[in-house]
Amino acid sequence: MADARTARSRAAKGRAAKDPAAQAPTAKGRATRARIVEGAAEVLREQGVAFTTLDDIRSRTGTSKSQLFHYFPAGKDELLLAVAQFEADRVLADQQPHLGQLDTWECWQQWRDLVVERYERQGDHCPLGSLFLQVGRSSPGARAIVTELMRQWQEHIARGIRTLCANGLVSPALDADRTAAALLAGIQGGVTIMMSTGDSTHLKAALDTGIEHLRRAAVAKDDAVRD
């Protein structure tokens, strides 16, 4: 009988870990959970994942131990995954409003400058990367967060390219999804090099080359019309 109760308890925790709403079914509960996650993100950015304890997070967020485990029954790893999702969301939020308005060359340049500024300000410390190292990059939760972040980021860029096409600024023959994938890969490579060297030259080159590729597509279209 005890074994059955233990199994049911483990199953309930597993369901709760997969569904944040299970720990925070009310508006007040969701607000409390969000406050804990945001406070934990602040502590982790300041102290680093390796040097942050649950007591540090409880102190910052004014949360009791029982309250913390109510919202994160699986403990620190579950909380770290929630913070990783928060940081992933922030990657895209920090690029707004320009990422969502890539409809002119001026907007593309403003987005480019914003991306460079964001990562130069971040420096050689990547909160998201540190979190994934702690919970394991290959874990299903971490992999899902990265996959969704990249999907949304690439889709924003591809949507911007399609808008340029619709506005007659780029040839409709250009493969928007493939071009967006290449540009995103260049950004990620540039960020990785910058984190290793402290130099944003490669990040700038990836962005500038990607945007120049789009501009050349516009020139090629104009040349074809004249011919």
Side-chain angles (χ1 to χ4, degrees):
M1 191 69 171
D3 289 342
R5 283 197 299 270
T6 300
R8 285 196 296 272
S9 175
R10 287 176 178 171
K13 287 184 177 182
R15 288 193 298 273
K18 293 177 182 178
D19 181 10
Q23 298 99 278
T26 67
K28 183 178 179 181
R30 289 190 293 273
T32 299
R33 186 180 188 278
R35 177 176 58 79
I36 294 171
V37 171
E38 186 171 358
E42 291 175 358
V43 178
L44 290 165
R45 277 177 170 256
E46 293 170 6
Q47 299 180 189
V49 177
F51 300 101
T52 298
T53 66
L54 288 179
D55 286 340
D56 294 328
I57 294 170
R58 289 198 306 105
S59 176
R60 175 66 63 88
T61 59
T63 306
S64 67
K65 187 173 183 179
S66 61
Q67 190 177 28
L68 191 67
F69 279 92
H70 169 73
Y71 291 107
F72 305 96
K76 188 175 182 180
D77 282 351
E78 184 180 354
L79 176 56
L80 291 180
L81 273 179
V83 176
Q85 183 63 67
F86 175 84
E87 292 288 1
D89 292 340
R90 187 146 72 172
V91 169
L92 298 180
D94 285 351
Q95 298 177 54
Q96 299 296 355
H98 304 306
L99 182 60
Q101 300 175 353
L102 296 174
D103 52 1
T104 67
W105 294 124
E106 181 181 4
C107 288
W108 277 84
Q109 186 62 41
Q110 290 171 337
W111 169 67
R112 175 265 188 208
D113 294 343
L114 192 64
V115 171
V116 172
E117 179 186 355
R118 180 195 192 278
Y119 284 103
E120 285 182 339
R121 186 171 62 249
Q122 177 179 283
D124 60 2
H125 173 65
C126 177
L128 196 56
S130 298
L131 287 161
F132 288 147
L133 284 175
Q134 181 70 23
V135 300
R137 289 181 182 273
S138 61
S139 70
R143 187 175 292 275
I145 290 171
V146 174
T147 299
E148 181 60 16
L149 169 60
M150 295 303 158
R151 186 196 68 77
Q152 290 187 37
W153 198 347
Q154 181 176 324
E155 179 53 36
H156 275 295
I157 298 172
R159 189 181 301 123
I161 295 172
R162 293 189 186 97
T163 301
L164 292 178
C165 293
N167 291 344
L169 297 174
V170 167
S171 169
L174 190 69
D175 187 327
D177 292 318
R178 185 177 177 83
T179 303
L183 184 51
L184 179 55
I187 293 170
Q188 290 298 297
V191 169
T192 299
I193 294 173
M194 192 190 76
M195 289 178 59
S196 300
T197 65
D199 186 352
S200 61
T201 298
H202 296 83
L203 174 60
K204 293 174 181 175
L207 282 160
D208 292 341
T209 302
I211 295 173
E212 182 59 31
H213 173 69
L214 293 175
R215 285 185 173 275
R216 283 200 300 271
V219 171
K221 176 191 173 186
D222 291 342
D223 290 343
V225 170
R226 284 194 294 270
D227 292 342

PDB file of all heavy atoms in Angstrom, residues 6-28:
ATOM      1  N   THR A   6       3.517   5.924  -2.750  1.00  0.00           N
ATOM      2  CA  THR A   6       4.761   6.535  -3.212  1.00  0.00           C
ATOM      3  C   THR A   6       4.754   6.707  -4.725  1.00  0.00           C
ATOM      4  O   THR A   6       5.162   7.738  -5.263  1.00  0.00           O
ATOM      5  CB  THR A   6       5.967   5.669  -2.809  1.00  0.00           C
ATOM      6  OG1 THR A   6       6.009   5.554  -1.388  1.00  0.00           O
ATOM      7  CG2 THR A   6       7.269   6.294  -3.304  1.00  0.00           C
ATOM      8  N   ALA A   7       4.273   5.685  -5.422  1.00  0.00           N
ATOM      9  CA  ALA A   7       4.213   5.750  -6.883  1.00  0.00           C
ATOM     10  C   ALA A   7       3.282   6.857  -7.344  1.00  0.00           C
ATOM     11  O   ALA A   7       3.580   7.597  -8.280  1.00  0.00           O
ATOM     12  CB  ALA A   7       3.748   4.397  -7.445  1.00  0.00           C
ATOM     13  N   ARG A   8       2.113   6.965  -6.649  1.00  0.00           N
ATOM     14  CA  ARG A   8       1.159   8.016  -7.022  1.00  0.00           C
ATOM     15  C   ARG A   8       1.746   9.393  -6.775  1.00  0.00           C
ATOM     16  O   ARG A   8       1.554  10.331  -7.545  1.00  0.00           O
ATOM     17  CB  ARG A   8      -0.145   7.843  -6.237  1.00  0.00           C
ATOM     18  CG  ARG A   8      -1.019   6.702  -6.734  1.00  0.00           C
ATOM     19  CD  ARG A   8      -2.435   6.839  -6.192  1.00  0.00           C
ATOM     20  NE  ARG A   8      -2.466   6.732  -4.732  1.00  0.00           N
ATOM     21  CZ  ARG A   8      -2.582   5.587  -4.062  1.00  0.00           C
ATOM     22  NH1 ARG A   8      -2.687   4.442  -4.725  1.00  0.00           N
ATOM     23  NH2 ARG A   8      -2.621   5.572  -2.749  1.00  0.00           N
ATOM     24  N   SER A   9       2.506   9.515  -5.650  1.00  0.00           N
ATOM     25  CA  SER A   9       3.125  10.798  -5.325  1.00  0.00           C
ATOM     26  C   SER A   9       4.156  11.190  -6.377  1.00  0.00           C
ATOM     27  O   SER A   9       4.206  12.340  -6.810  1.00  0.00           O
ATOM     28  CB  SER A   9       3.801  10.718  -3.953  1.00  0.00           C
ATOM     29  OG  SER A   9       4.493  11.899  -3.667  1.00  0.00           O
ATOM     30  N   ARG A  10       4.965  10.225  -6.804  1.00  0.00           N
ATOM     31  CA  ARG A  10       5.978  10.502  -7.825  1.00  0.00           C
ATOM     32  C   ARG A  10       5.316  10.883  -9.146  1.00  0.00           C
ATOM     33  O   ARG A  10       5.776  11.780  -9.864  1.00  0.00           O
ATOM     34  CB  ARG A  10       6.874   9.289  -8.011  1.00  0.00           C
ATOM     35  CG  ARG A  10       7.845   9.063  -6.852  1.00  0.00           C
ATOM     36  CD  ARG A  10       8.633   7.791  -7.048  1.00  0.00           C
ATOM     37  NE  ARG A  10       9.595   7.598  -5.966  1.00  0.00           N
ATOM     38  CZ  ARG A  10      10.303   6.486  -5.794  1.00  0.00           C
ATOM     39  NH1 ARG A  10      10.145   5.469  -6.644  1.00  0.00           N
ATOM     40  NH2 ARG A  10      11.153   6.386  -4.785  1.00  0.00           N
ATOM     41  N   ALA A  11       4.234  10.184  -9.475  1.00  0.00           N
ATOM     42  CA  ALA A  11       3.536  10.496 -10.721  1.00  0.00           C
ATOM     43  C   ALA A  11       2.963  11.898 -10.680  1.00  0.00           C
ATOM     44  O   ALA A  11       3.010  12.639 -11.664  1.00  0.00           O
ATOM     45  CB  ALA A  11       2.417   9.478 -10.959  1.00  0.00           C
ATOM     46  N   ALA A  12       2.420  12.282  -9.527  1.00  0.00           N
ATOM     47  CA  ALA A  12       1.848  13.625  -9.391  1.00  0.00           C
ATOM     48  C   ALA A  12       2.926  14.685  -9.543  1.00  0.00           C
ATOM     49  O   ALA A  12       2.726  15.721 -10.191  1.00  0.00           O
ATOM     50  CB  ALA A  12       1.160  13.767  -8.033  1.00  0.00           C
ATOM     51  N   LYS A  13       4.089  14.448  -8.947  1.00  0.00           N
ATOM     52  CA  LYS A  13       5.194  15.402  -9.086  1.00  0.00           C
ATOM     53  C   LYS A  13       5.656  15.498 -10.531  1.00  0.00           C
ATOM     54  O   LYS A  13       6.006  16.573 -11.010  1.00  0.00           O
ATOM     55  CB  LYS A  13       6.370  14.987  -8.183  1.00  0.00           C
ATOM     56  CG  LYS A  13       6.115  15.244  -6.707  1.00  0.00           C
ATOM     57  CD  LYS A  13       7.340  14.918  -5.888  1.00  0.00           C
ATOM     58  CE  LYS A  13       7.132  15.238  -4.399  1.00  0.00           C
ATOM     59  NZ  LYS A  13       8.340  14.960  -3.613  1.00  0.00           N
ATOM     60  N   GLY A  14       5.667  14.359 -11.226  1.00  0.00           N
ATOM     61  CA  GLY A  14       6.075  14.374 -12.623  1.00  0.00           C
ATOM     62  C   GLY A  14       5.125  15.196 -13.462  1.00  0.00           C
ATOM     63  O   GLY A  14       5.543  15.975 -14.305  1.00  0.00           O
ATOM     64  N   ARG A  15       3.814  15.047 -13.198  1.00  0.00           N
ATOM     65  CA  ARG A  15       2.834  15.835 -13.950  1.00  0.00           C
ATOM     66  C   ARG A  15       2.972  17.310 -13.640  1.00  0.00           C
ATOM     67  O   ARG A  15       2.861  18.176 -14.506  1.00  0.00           O
ATOM     68  CB  ARG A  15       1.417  15.356 -13.624  1.00  0.00           C
ATOM     69  CG  ARG A  15       1.067  14.004 -14.212  1.00  0.00           C
ATOM     70  CD  ARG A  15      -0.429  13.751 -14.121  1.00  0.00           C
ATOM     71  NE  ARG A  15      -0.886  13.711 -12.730  1.00  0.00           N
ATOM     72  CZ  ARG A  15      -0.887  12.626 -11.976  1.00  0.00           C
ATOM     73  NH1 ARG A  15      -0.439  11.474 -12.465  1.00  0.00           N
ATOM     74  NH2 ARG A  15      -1.340  12.664 -10.737  1.00  0.00           N
ATOM     75  N   ALA A  16       3.227  17.630 -12.374  1.00  0.00           N
ATOM     76  CA  ALA A  16       3.358  19.029 -11.974  1.00  0.00           C
ATOM     77  C   ALA A  16       4.576  19.668 -12.604  1.00  0.00           C
ATOM     78  O   ALA A  16       4.554  20.837 -13.008  1.00  0.00           O
ATOM     79  CB  ALA A  16       3.447  19.129 -10.450  1.00  0.00           C
ATOM     80  N   ALA A  17       5.671  18.904 -12.684  1.00  0.00           N
ATOM     81  CA  ALA A  17       6.892  19.456 -13.263  1.00  0.00           C
ATOM     82  C   ALA A  17       6.702  19.779 -14.738  1.00  0.00           C
ATOM     83  O   ALA A  17       7.274  20.733 -15.260  1.00  0.00           O
ATOM     84  CB  ALA A  17       8.050  18.453 -13.097  1.00  0.00           C
ATOM     85  N   LYS A  18       5.869  18.988 -15.438  1.00  0.00           N
ATOM     86  CA  LYS A  18       5.639  19.220 -16.860  1.00  0.00           C
ATOM     87  C   LYS A  18       4.665  20.374 -17.081  1.00  0.00           C
ATOM     88  O   LYS A  18       4.670  20.994 -18.135  1.00  0.00           O
ATOM     89  CB  LYS A  18       5.096  17.947 -17.510  1.00  0.00           C
ATOM     90  CG  LYS A  18       6.098  16.797 -17.557  1.00  0.00           C
ATOM     91  CD  LYS A  18       5.460  15.563 -18.153  1.00  0.00           C
ATOM     92  CE  LYS A  18       6.440  14.383 -18.148  1.00  0.00           C
ATOM     93  NZ  LYS A  18       5.833  13.153 -18.681  1.00  0.00           N
ATOM     94  N   ASP A  19       3.790  20.622 -16.111  1.00  0.00           N
ATOM     95  CA  ASP A  19       2.740  21.624 -16.284  1.00  0.00           C
ATOM     96  C   ASP A  19       2.817  22.647 -15.163  1.00  0.00           C
ATOM     97  O   ASP A  19       2.326  22.401 -14.063  1.00  0.00           O
ATOM     98  CB  ASP A  19       1.373  20.936 -16.276  1.00  0.00           C
ATOM     99  CG  ASP A  19       0.231  21.931 -16.490  1.00  0.00           C
ATOM    100  OD1 ASP A  19       0.537  23.091 -16.838  1.00  0.00           O
ATOM    101  OD2 ASP A  19      -0.931  21.531 -16.301  1.00  0.00           O
ATOM    102  N   PRO A  20       3.445  23.825 -15.411  1.00  0.00           N
ATOM    103  CA  PRO A  20       3.564  24.844 -14.379  1.00  0.00           C
ATOM    104  C   PRO A  20       2.231  25.247 -13.798  1.00  0.00           C
ATOM    105  O   PRO A  20       2.143  25.614 -12.619  1.00  0.00           O
ATOM    106  CB  PRO A  20       4.211  26.025 -15.133  1.00  0.00           C
ATOM    107  CG  PRO A  20       4.942  25.390 -16.260  1.00  0.00           C
ATOM    108  CD  PRO A  20       4.090  24.227 -16.654  1.00  0.00           C
ATOM    109  N   ALA A  21       1.145  25.181 -14.581  1.00  0.00           N
ATOM    110  CA  ALA A  21      -0.164  25.577 -14.081  1.00  0.00           C
ATOM    111  C   ALA A  21      -0.640  24.659 -12.974  1.00  0.00           C
ATOM    112  O   ALA A  21      -1.480  25.036 -12.156  1.00  0.00           O
ATOM    113  CB  ALA A  21      -1.177  25.584 -15.229  1.00  0.00           C
ATOM    114  N   ALA A  22      -0.076  23.419 -12.915  1.00  0.00           N
ATOM    115  CA  ALA A  22      -0.483  22.494 -11.864  1.00  0.00           C
ATOM    116  C   ALA A  22      -0.048  22.999 -10.500  1.00  0.00           C
ATOM    117  O   ALA A  22      -0.697  22.743  -9.490  1.00  0.00           O
ATOM    118  CB  ALA A  22       0.123  21.109 -12.127  1.00  0.00           C
ATOM    119  N   GLN A  23       1.083  23.733 -10.442  1.00  0.00           N
ATOM    120  CA  GLN A  23       1.540  24.293  -9.179  1.00  0.00           C
ATOM    121  C   GLN A  23       0.936  25.670  -8.921  1.00  0.00           C
ATOM    122  O   GLN A  23       0.987  26.160  -7.812  1.00  0.00           O
ATOM    123  CB  GLN A  23       3.066  24.432  -9.164  1.00  0.00           C
ATOM    124  CG  GLN A  23       3.837  23.121  -9.291  1.00  0.00           C
ATOM    125  CD  GLN A  23       4.290  22.923 -10.712  1.00  0.00           C
ATOM    126  OE1 GLN A  23       3.518  22.469 -11.547  1.00  0.00           O
ATOM    127  NE2 GLN A  23       5.527  23.237 -11.006  1.00  0.00           N
ATOM    128  N   ALA A  24       0.412  26.312  -9.951  1.00  0.00           N
ATOM    129  CA  ALA A  24      -0.100  27.674  -9.815  1.00  0.00           C
ATOM    130  C   ALA A  24      -1.419  27.810 -10.575  1.00  0.00           C
ATOM    131  O   ALA A  24      -1.485  28.473 -11.604  1.00  0.00           O
ATOM    132  CB  ALA A  24       0.928  28.668 -10.338  1.00  0.00           C
ATOM    133  N   PRO A  25      -2.495  27.167 -10.063  1.00  0.00           N
ATOM    134  CA  PRO A  25      -3.760  27.175 -10.803  1.00  0.00           C
ATOM    135  C   PRO A  25      -4.507  28.500 -10.728  1.00  0.00           C
ATOM    136  O   PRO A  25      -5.422  28.735 -11.504  1.00  0.00           O
ATOM    137  CB  PRO A  25      -4.558  26.057 -10.127  1.00  0.00           C
ATOM    138  CG  PRO A  25      -4.016  26.012  -8.729  1.00  0.00           C
ATOM    139  CD  PRO A  25      -2.559  26.352  -8.852  1.00  0.00           C
ATOM    140  N   THR A  26      -4.163  29.353  -9.785  1.00  0.00           N
ATOM    141  CA  THR A  26      -4.852  30.628  -9.639  1.00  0.00           C
ATOM    142  C   THR A  26      -3.976  31.774 -10.136  1.00  0.00           C
ATOM    143  O   THR A  26      -2.760  31.624 -10.284  1.00  0.00           O
ATOM    144  CB  THR A  26      -5.208  30.891  -8.166  1.00  0.00           C
ATOM    145  OG1 THR A  26      -3.989  31.074  -7.417  1.00  0.00           O
ATOM    146  CG2 THR A  26      -5.991  29.719  -7.575  1.00  0.00           C
ATOM    147  N   ALA A  27      -4.615  32.930 -10.374  1.00  0.00           N
ATOM    148  CA  ALA A  27      -3.864  34.100 -10.824  1.00  0.00           C
ATOM    149  C   ALA A  27      -2.821  34.493  -9.793  1.00  0.00           C
ATOM    150  O   ALA A  27      -1.686  34.847 -10.132  1.00  0.00           O
ATOM    151  CB  ALA A  27      -4.821  35.260 -11.094  1.00  0.00           C
ATOM    152  N   LYS A  28      -3.193  34.443  -8.524  1.00  0.00           N
ATOM    153  CA  LYS A  28      -2.253  34.784  -7.455  1.00  0.00           C
ATOM    154  C   LYS A  28      -1.098  33.793  -7.422  1.00  0.00           C
ATOM    155  O   LYS A  28       0.069  34.179  -7.252  1.00  0.00           O
ATOM    156  CB  LYS A  28      -2.974  34.799  -6.113  1.00  0.00           C
ATOM    157  CG  LYS A  28      -2.083  35.205  -4.947  1.00  0.00           C
ATOM    158  CD  LYS A  28      -2.864  35.243  -3.636  1.00  0.00           C
ATOM    159  CE  LYS A  28      -1.952  35.635  -2.470  1.00  0.00           C
ATOM    160  NZ  LYS A  28      -2.697  35.658  -1.191  1.00  0.00           N
TER     161      LYS A  28
END
